[in-house]
Amino acid sequence: MTARDATRELKFRDPARARALSDALAREVAAIGRTVSVMHVCGSHEQAIARFGLRAVLPRGLELIMGPGCPVCVTDGPEVDEAVALALAGARVCTYGDMLRLPGTRRSLADAQADGAKVDVVYSVAQAVEIARANPSEQVVFLASGFETTAVATAAVALADPPANLSILSVHKYVPAAMEVVAESPETNIEGYVAAGHAATITGWGIFEPFAARTRCPVVVAGFEPLDILAAILKLAELVRAGRAEVFNAYPRCVTRDGNVPAQRTLWKVFEVSDGVWRGISTVPRGNLVLRPEFAHLDARRRFRIDVTAVRDADAAAEAKGCICGAIMLGLAKPTGCELYGTRCVPESPVGACMVSSEGTCRIWHTYGGVPDLRSAG
Amino acid sequence: MCLGVPGQVVAIDGLRATVDFFGVKKELRLDIVDEPVQVGDYVLNHVGFAIRRIPPEEVAETLALFDQILDVSGARDDLMAADVRGEIAAGAEKKP
């Protein structure tokens, strides 16, 4: 361990500090005097929470729930169908890795690939540009998934004179819109939200102020160290107890009020919000990011007549029989409450979207030991 | 994927930067970075794009978080480490 690490260990992973935070949180929740549910909306947060067993040190009266924080999971079946249809019609489809096995209404891109369609996994939209340049005689379609943070990169490519044989099939989603759906759902009872630190690097924490005011729920922006997360939850409990629907930035070393303004300009120059269906959840007003009309020449939906007849099952339910991914993403159920979890639905052969992606709740719980919430084990 | 990964800029050519990620050199794009970047600076990379210049006083803490994520001694199939390695792979191969 380097000296730098040693300093850091003391500051951010000090067990005594973790205990102090945990004790303060217990006192705060006891003072509230009822069970409080708070939600985070980030796969990386859930990974850190599960990896470090953070739920084991939370008081019993506090429920920490992952909401719709996995962009792959909320990509809808009919959106996958469009990519599958384009691939089977001869286009070369490039996309991020977890999208490959995500089920459409009948088939996934991996199925199409097995049937001989050209599907490339990329880590960056810039790699899709390289593939298009290297294969000028082919139509290359980038299936663009991810939340607003990732959409910024797609937008940058759209503005940088991409090759004529590249088009974009946007399934980008806008997280603040889904938080509103959760907050307004009569079934959920979330009293505060933890916002993802690095996404807020782009948007800034100010973006959550109208949300907090409208929903009367506090929002705390959190980093990814175990103690960052605990400190953020403690702050959230304090705000809930005080009845203050404010936004608090608990990650000032990375997040500012205004965020990355040039990146936001890039995003909104290329994309606009549109109502869209999120898998398993519902129509999310203003929840999808679609290309503006000025970028019609890049928009796969406008450029090609996408015939999904052969790959779409119009009667398919949004979820396989028994799958409760939608309820899990809304915070109404836990993976352990699903009869398929860990039996018929496992990372090697996922049934539901939340088991497909490394950012899905089920995949994360399964990887880090099944029941990271040790309190429920007694 | 929303973690990103930090690296140090070792060369700049217009809107492209060569960045060292824990010993792996990759090319990143600078189209959407929040501030002007110079050689020696640290940036946060998401899907092949620098999205933030990391202020010098925050570099050590940021690197320590990723040292800890990438140190998966004994843990196979760690999702956080895999996501961070994916972010490193998002940089383009440095052209000779």
Side-chain angles (χ1 to χ4, degrees), chain A:
Chain A
M1 184 184 287
T2 65
R4 186 189 74 205
D5 291 339
T7 318
R8 169 72 177 189
E9 288 278 331
L10 284 177
K11 199 166 161 194
F12 285 91
R13 304 186 69 196
D14 178 2
R17 209 179 138 221
R19 254 193 314 277
L21 282 170
S22 173
D23 291 348
L25 186 57
R27 283 195 298 275
E28 207 60 46
V29 172
I32 293 171
R34 58 186 156 77
T35 297
V36 176
S37 296
V38 298
M39 176 176 276
H40 73 82
V41 285
C42 171
S44 300
H45 269 153
E46 186 60 31
Q47 290 172 351
I49 289 161
R51 188 187 197 208
F52 295 104
L54 284 188
R55 286 194 180 87
V57 301
L58 299 181
R60 277 188 180 274
L62 185 84
E63 282 284 343
L64 174 60
I65 295 165
M66 174 167 167
C70 167
V72 172
C73 309
V74 298
T75 303
D76 202 24
E79 293 178 312
V80 176
D81 291 347
E82 292 178 295
V84 170
L86 283 168
L88 291 173
R92 182 184 279 266
V93 174
C94 302
T95 194
Y96 296 122
D98 282 346
M99 296 294 287
L100 197 63
R101 293 197 300 162
L102 184 69
T105 60
R106 284 179 60 187
R107 314 175 75 186
S108 66
L109 279 172
D111 297 332
Q113 194 179 37
D115 283 352
K118 290 175 187 158
V119 181
D120 293 291
V121 167
V122 294
Y123 293 99
S124 170
V125 59
Q127 291 167 349
V129 171
E130 296 302 319
I131 289 170
R133 290 221 166 92
N135 300 279
S137 62
E138 296 185 29
Q139 286 297 331
V140 175
V141 175
F142 179 61
L143 173 60
S145 65
F147 292 139
E148 53 273 18
T149 324
T150 312
V152 170
T154 310
V157 159
L159 291 174
D161 195 19
N165 61 327
L166 179 77
S167 52
I168 292 165
L169 182 61
S170 173
V171 295
H172 284 309
K173 310 280 181 195
Y174 188 57
V175 173
M179 287 169 64
E180 304 244 357
V181 168
V182 172
E184 284 160 14
S185 163
E187 296 168 285
T188 56
N189 189 24
I190 306 295
E191 295 188 56
Y193 293 81
V194 178
H198 288 162
T201 297
I202 299 253
T203 60
W205 60 261
I207 193 177
F208 298 111
E209 286 192 318
F211 170 82
R214 248 197 317 277
T215 62
R216 303 297 307 150
C217 288
V219 177
V220 176
V221 178
F224 296 90
E225 287 279 359
L227 292 189
D228 281 339
I229 296 172
L230 272 183
I233 294 169
L234 172 60
K235 185 69 196 177
L236 203 50
E238 288 172 6
L239 292 172
V240 168
R241 182 184 172 197
R244 282 161 50 197
E246 295 169 11
V247 181
F248 183 84
N249 181 15
Y251 197 37
R253 66 183 190 272
C254 239
V255 178
T256 60
R257 183 191 184 99
D258 294 334
N260 179 341
V261 175
Q264 291 166 32
R265 281 203 198 103
T266 299
L267 176 68
W268 298 120
K269 208 179 274 181
V270 175
F271 287 103
E272 58 190 358
V273 288
S274 163
D275 298 353
V277 178
W278 290 38
R279 182 190 297 255
I281 297 181
S282 65
T283 296
V284 177
R286 303 165 56 80
N288 279 16
L289 292 168
V290 297
L291 289 162
R292 288 181 178 276
E294 304 92 282
F295 295 88
H297 59 288
L298 271 175
D299 189 342
R301 293 193 180 95
R302 291 169 165 123
R303 201 149 122 180
F304 306 107
R305 202 181 62 82
I306 306 176
D307 182 2
V308 294
T309 321
V311 299
R312 177 160 300 167
D313 176 357
D315 299 327
E319 295 164 330
K321 192 167 183 297
C323 174
I324 60 166
C325 278
I328 289 170
M329 287 188 284
L330 279 172
L332 300 172
K334 295 177 184 177
T336 42
C338 176
E339 58 182 42
L340 306 180
Y341 172 75
T343 54
R344 273 184 52 220
C345 186
V346 290
E348 295 73 32
S349 59
V351 175
C354 294
M355 190 62 91
V356 172
S357 171
S358 64
E359 294 177 295
T361 317
C362 300
R363 174 78 177 279
I364 295 168
W365 282 36
H366 195 270
T367 300
Y368 290 109
V371 190
D373 192 342
L374 298 177
R375 295 169 302 166
S376 61

Side-chain angles (χ1 to χ4, degrees), chain A residues 4 11 42 198 253 260, chain B residues 2-3 32 47 58 61 67:
Chain A
R4 186 189 74 205
K11 199 166 161 194
C42 171
H198 288 162
R253 66 183 190 272
N260 179 341
Chain B
C2 66
L3 265 179
I32 50 174
V47 294
E58 293 161 10
E61 288 176 4
D67 279 344

Side-chain angles (χ1 to χ4, degrees), chain B residues 7-67:
Chain B
Q8 187 171 32
V9 176
V10 295
I12 295 176
D13 177 12
L15 280 179
R16 290 174 184 274
T18 306
V19 178
D20 184 326
F21 297 101
F22 304 93
V24 180
K25 284 198 180 63
K26 290 280 190 174
E27 271 193 4
L28 283 197
R29 293 182 48 162
L30 298 175
D31 311 42
I32 50 174
V33 72
D34 57 340
E35 289 178 8
V37 168
Q38 297 181 341
V39 169
D41 285 348
Y42 279 80
V43 291
L44 189 69
N45 159 33
H46 176 54
V47 294
F49 288 74
I51 58 168
R52 173 174 161 85
R53 173 182 172 271
I54 304 171
E57 65 275 15
E58 293 161 10
V59 165
E61 288 176 4
T62 306
L63 289 179
L65 167 63
F66 287 84
D67 279 344

Side-chain angles (χ1 to χ4, degrees), chain B residues 72-88:
Chain B
V72 289
S73 36
R76 70 187 172 87
D77 195 25
D78 186 83
L79 298 177
M80 292 188 96
D83 279 0
V84 171
R85 285 194 297 266
E87 291 278 31
I88 294 174

